[in-house]
């Protein structure tokens, strides 16, 4: 079954994302954490788990959009369950249009190995991560200004 994110998922999501990305600098780690915080806050996470055990995460994906551009931030499937179509199910639960290009903010070794470009029409754009972080910060600043005035 595919379900929405629940607070019990938080530790697994942060751990699997941060350890899969292997961020080379503290700044990239900080930007990654900012994106994780935002997708959780926005509810833009889908979790794949067995029908009879909704707390057992087999895979998950984080997604979003910037302007009208669909984004796949991250996709994770446990090693023993890979190459069984779970990633495709997760992606298609959010982006059912097979012709749509899905832009990726992170591009892992596994995305290359899966040939995600061909499989899901995914495209990595290196400047999307800082753009997404800038968008998050702009929204946060806007909320602060609304709360406290200009």
């Amino acid at each position: 079954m595919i379900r929405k994110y629940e607070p019990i998922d938080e530790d697994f999501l942060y751990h699997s994302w941060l350890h899969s990305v292997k961020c080379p600098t503290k700044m990239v780690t900080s930007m990654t954490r900012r994106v994780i915080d935002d997708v959780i806050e926005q509810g833009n996470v889908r979790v794949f788990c067995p029908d009879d055990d909704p707390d057992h995460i087999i895979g998950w994906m984080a997604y979003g959009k910037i302007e009208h551009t669909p984004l796949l931030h991250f996709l994770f499937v446990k090693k023993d369950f890979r190459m069984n179509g779970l990633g495709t199910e997760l992606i298609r639960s959010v982006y059912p249009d097979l012709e749509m290009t899905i832009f990726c903010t992170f591009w892992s070794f596994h995305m290359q190995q899966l040939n995600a470009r061909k499989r899901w029409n995914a495209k990595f754009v290196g400047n999307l991560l800082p753009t997404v972080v800038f968008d998050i910060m702009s929204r946060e600043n806007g909320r602060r200004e609304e709360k406290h005035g200009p």
Side-chain angles (χ1 to χ4, degrees):
M1 110 170 84
I2 295 175
R3 63 170 175 76
K4 292 182 177 183
Y5 166 86
E6 295 178 10
I8 194 170
D9 306 330
E10 184 173 325
D11 288 343
F12 185 82
L13 191 140
Y14 274 91
H15 183 269
S16 56
W17 192 337
L18 290 170
H19 282 81
S20 294
V21 171
K22 295 181 177 43
C23 300
T25 66
K26 288 180 183 178
M27 187 59 68
V28 173
T29 300
S30 178
M31 288 192 303
T32 302
R33 286 183 176 278
R34 204 73 182 255
V35 173
I36 297 170
D37 293 344
D38 188 64
V39 297
I40 288 173
E41 182 181 314
Q42 300 297 320
N44 292 337
V45 176
R46 293 291 178 264
V47 176
F48 191 98
C49 53
D51 291 338
D52 62 345
D53 190 359
D55 294 335
H56 181 179
I57 299 171
I58 294 173
W60 60 269
M61 72 173 274
Y63 62 94
K65 67 180 178 178
I66 193 160
E67 297 173 359
H68 299 290
T69 303
L71 300 175
L72 171 60
H73 292 301
F74 203 76
L75 174 69
F76 178 85
V77 176
K78 286 182 177 177
K79 189 175 185 174
D80 291 344
F81 297 95
R82 293 179 186 155
M83 303 307 290
N84 287 313
L86 303 181
T88 299
E89 283 188 54
L90 283 163
I91 288 174
R92 294 301 166 224
S93 73
V94 176
Y95 301 121
D97 181 358
L98 301 177
E99 302 299 315
M100 174 192 307
T101 299
I102 302 168
F103 292 90
C104 301
T105 51
F106 293 87
W107 196 257
S108 68
F109 169 75
H110 299 294
M111 292 291 277
Q112 293 173 30
Q113 207 175 29
L114 285 168
N115 195 7
R117 282 184 181 91
K118 184 176 180 185
R119 184 177 296 220
W120 302 314
N121 205 17
K123 182 176 182 179
F124 174 67
V125 179
N127 62 356
L128 269 177
L129 177 58
T131 303
V132 167
V133 172
F134 179 81
D135 182 62
I136 293 167
M137 292 171 65
S138 296
R139 284 187 276 122
E140 289 172 352
N141 287 338
R143 284 193 295 261
R144 260 194 299 278
E145 287 177 6
E146 283 178 9
K147 196 175 193 179
H148 301 292

